[in-house]
Structure formats: C-alpha cells, structure tokens
Amino acid sequence: MPNTLTNLIPDLYAALDVVSREQIGFIPSVTLDATVARAALNEAVRSAVTPAAVGSDIVPGVTPPDDGDQSIGNRSITITKARRWPVRWNGEQSKGVNNGPGVLSIRAQQFAQAMRAATNEIEADLATLYKTSSRAYGTPGTTPFATAGDYTDAAFVRQILVDNGAPTSDLQLVINTTAGAVFRGKQSQAQIYGSDTLQRQGILLDVHGMQIRESAQVKTHTKGTGANYLVNNGAGYAIGATALAADTGTGTVLAGDVVTFNGNNDKHVVGTALSGGNLALNEPGLRTAVADNVAITVGNSYAANLAFSRSAIVLATRAPALPEEGDSAIDRFMLVDPRSGLTFEVSMYMQYRQVQYEVAIAWGFANVKPEHTATLQG
C-alpha cells in the first residue's frame, strides 16, 4: 500500500518551519540520551555516578597497596509521560480549505500548534529542574545583565559550576525572556559585542564559554514562609553536609528556596523541603562548616534562570510504545525538529468520513549531576 502520509508531508514540514523558531532554551542545551529512551513508560533506568577519587602517598613495597575500591552511586531517569495532540478533519472541511501556494494551510498551522504545545510542555518540565541545582547567584527580583558591557552575572554563576568541578567545555545558560530582552537591549552594541550579529539578527552570544539561550518556560519560584530558623545540631555541620536539622523557626522552607547561613554568603538551593525539623540541600552541600544555632535565612522569590553543564541534565525521548500487533493507524511518519532535536511521531487513523492525525512523543528527564547546575536569580 502506498504511503498515505505522502501528501501530508509538505504540511508537516511547513509546520516544522514554524515550530523550529519557537523560543526554547532547555531542550537544545541538555543531553538527549537514546539509551534511556528505550525504557518503558514509568520504568526507572539508572545512570551510574562515580565518586571523587582519593589519592595516597607512594610507598615502595613488594606488592601494590590493596585499595581502589569505590561505591558507585546512581541516579534514576524515568520515561514519565506519553502524550498526544490530535488533529481531525472530515471530508467537507477538507473541501473548504484553501491550500494555495505560499500560504500555510489551516492543517499545517494545526500541526504547528500541536508540535509547539509538545515542545513547550517538555521545555517547561526541564525548567522545573532549577529545584535540583547546587547554589545560586544574583539578586532576587533584579533582572541580570542590566548594565551595558557588564557580564558579571554570567561570570559568577559560571564560578559556581567551576568551583563544583563541572567540565567547562560545554556550559549552558538559559534565561527568561525578560532577561533576554535586557540582554539584547544592553549588550547588543557592536563596540561591546565585537560585531553587529546580536543587534541585527537577535542571536544571544556566548559569554565566558557559556552558550546563552532564551526560554519562555523559565520558572518563577515563590519562596516559602519560613523565618527565624536556626541550625539544630550540637556539633554543627561540616563542609559537604546536605542533610540539616533546623528548629525554633516558623513557616515553610520549600524545595527551590535559596537559603544562606549567618556568617557566609553562599546561597544554597534547598532540594528537600523542611519536614519534621529536617531539610536537605542539593549536592555538593555546604561550602563552609556551620555551627549549632547559626541563623538560616530564606531568600526572596526569584526567576530561576539556570546554568549547567550539558552532561548534567538528561532528556530521554522516544515514540510512544505500541503493542506487538500494532494498532489501527494506517500509517506513521517520524519527523525530526532540527532546532530542538526532538522526534515527533505523526500517525493517521481512518474514521467514518473523517481522518484523525496524531502528533505524539514520550519523554522523561532528570538532573543527574546537581553539582554541575547553578541558578542565576532574576
């Protein structure tokens, strides 16, 4: 049987031209893992995480030292969503549509909206990973890059990644559209940028080796109500501690809240909300030791722009699973968006005097290396 989707392919590619211009920043910045993508829906796949190496002095002897064993950790990635966006047409509707040359048909626009919705939902999911980042830089409520020629915001959020040992070969920074507008307005002069590419074409440049992209899905975090909490541990906590006890205070401390400890300026991101007098910071934990009864301050609400090494965040995508016998679709076509790298499955289902098309994709995501992510507050 001939490919019944052949006549639809021009509409699909016309739609793809539209969707590939959407403002997405996270999807093209993260790692697309095809191995994980083979997993079934809701099946956990574990990604190995190796610990830091420990050295020792060289001491000559008959045999080498009996050491080198390590406890290999892991983080799980799960295909958590299998979603579809339907487009249905009947015969009379098809008759009435003008598919004139040079003009996107209504059907093509419907496909564009379906792929746009899919892309935005995946982008929004990735944006939630700010709650898993290690530390934060910036002033809540103040848009970064607001001074012409000043890239301090990028420099200091990059410092967090470098101090945590992140590889510097493929660093990413995804900012919201407000920060993007300020960036274009303040940093686009040719004498600052070095050329007129940003000013003429609207392309965000690389700063300090960080590829800066813009996303409409960057989250705004609303802080918890916690106040007057103190560290509750007689021995205090050493550098690297993540699990902390707190007492005397009132209100909530939420995942994603940025907390500081009296006596140092490090802004730590809370990974596990305060419950039963305990909370957890994201790795790598405390940068300086804190003593008992040190005050814990919860920072203000902020826009969660995110900096990270590409390898830190994994996005797994695949076509939704089918039974071995197949289903009632008469044809399927896989369409790759060259901008985002996403592959959409387009299916055709014949019904009584009408046809239903379906755009579908399954995905899962995880921050497998929290210490290689950092939040730029805005």
Side-chain angles (χ1 to χ4, degrees):
M1 182 178 68
N3 186 345
T4 57
L5 281 177
T6 299
N7 293 334
L8 183 64
I9 289 175
D11 279 354
L12 289 170
Y13 276 102
L16 189 62
D17 285 341
V18 174
V19 87
S20 66
R21 294 188 180 97
E22 294 292 331
Q23 292 298 323
I24 56 172
F26 289 102
I27 294 172
S29 300
V30 303
T31 298
L32 289 173
D33 194 321
T35 302
V36 174
R38 297 191 184 101
L41 184 66
N42 296 323
E43 177 186 350
V45 176
R46 304 198 181 279
S47 176
V49 177
T50 56
V54 178
S56 63
D57 293 335
I58 296 175
V59 179
V62 177
T63 59
D66 182 16
D67 58 9
D69 295 330
Q70 291 182 324
S71 296
I72 306 299
N74 64 79
R75 299 192 187 281
S76 62
I77 304 168
T78 305
I79 300 290
T80 55
K81 291 186 177 181
R83 301 271 286 157
R84 61 186 289 275
W85 291 263
V87 175
R88 185 158 64 188
W89 282 75
N90 62 39
E92 295 300 326
Q93 291 169 335
S94 298
K95 278 278 189 183
V97 172
N98 176 15
N99 289 316
V103 179
L104 273 178
S105 70
I106 294 175
R107 186 169 62 182
Q109 294 178 47
Q110 288 178 302
F111 280 115
Q113 291 296 340
M115 288 185 279
R116 175 186 180 186
T119 302
N120 286 342
E121 188 169 335
I122 295 171
E123 181 84 354
D125 281 348
L126 291 170
T128 64
L129 292 175
Y130 77 90
K131 295 181 181 180
T132 65
S133 71
S134 63
R135 295 197 305 281
Y137 176 80
T139 303
T142 300
T143 303
F145 304 115
T147 302
D150 185 352
Y151 300 110
T152 301
D153 293 316
F156 279 101
V157 76
R158 180 185 182 277
Q159 182 188 9
I160 294 174
L161 300 180
V162 172
D163 287 346
N164 289 351
T168 59
S169 58
D170 201 355
L171 297 179
Q172 313 290 321
L173 174 59
V174 181
I175 59 178
N176 65 11
T177 54
T178 300
V182 170
F183 194 99
R184 287 182 172 90
K186 294 293 186 179
Q187 315 299 344
S188 62
Q189 297 95 323
Q191 70 272 20
I192 293 175
Y193 177 57
S195 76
D196 63 357
T197 303
L198 176 63
Q199 190 175 22
R200 303 303 179 195
Q201 300 178 22
I203 298 173
L204 298 182
L205 66 155
D206 294 353
V207 175
H208 309 311
M210 303 179 71
Q211 299 180 45
I212 300 181
R213 291 184 172 89
E214 188 178 17
S215 174
Q217 304 301 324
V218 170
K219 302 301 182 183
T220 297
H221 178 78
T222 301
K223 61 168 290 188
T225 59
N228 301 318
Y229 281 104
L230 303 177
V231 171
N232 181 27
N233 184 16
Y237 290 100
I239 294 173
T242 56
L244 308 178
D247 64 359
T248 75
T250 59
T252 58
V253 181
L254 306 176
D257 280 353
V258 175
V259 298
T260 56
F261 300 90
N262 189 34
N264 69 72
N265 295 320
D266 295 319
K267 297 180 176 181
H268 295 277
V269 179
V270 175
T272 303
L274 179 68
S275 178
N278 296 283
L279 60 85
L281 307 178
N282 291 321
E283 295 179 1
L286 292 173
R287 289 198 72 207
T288 57
V290 297
D292 186 30
N293 288 326
V294 164
I296 303 172
T297 301
V298 179
N300 290 327
S301 302
Y302 60 92
N305 306 299
L306 194 63
F308 52 93
S309 170
R310 181 183 295 274
S311 59
I313 297 177
V314 177
L315 171 65
T317 67
R318 60 162 171 78
L322 288 169
E324 292 182 5
E325 299 81 4
D327 65 4
S328 60
I330 65 169
D331 203 1
R332 284 193 163 84
F333 179 73
M334 304 302 293
L335 192 67
V336 179
D337 176 7
R339 180 68 60 86
S340 67
L342 297 177
T343 300
F344 299 105
E345 179 191 64
V346 182
S347 305
M348 174 184 272
Y349 293 88
M350 303 306 296
Q351 301 174 350
Y352 179 68
R353 295 186 182 276
Q354 63 185 15
V355 59
Q356 184 184 76
Y357 307 105
E358 179 184 272
V359 176
I361 189 171
W363 71 92
F365 58 99
N367 183 353
V368 298
K369 202 71 172 175
E371 57 267 45
H372 292 176
T373 59
T375 298
L376 175 59
Q377 295 177 293

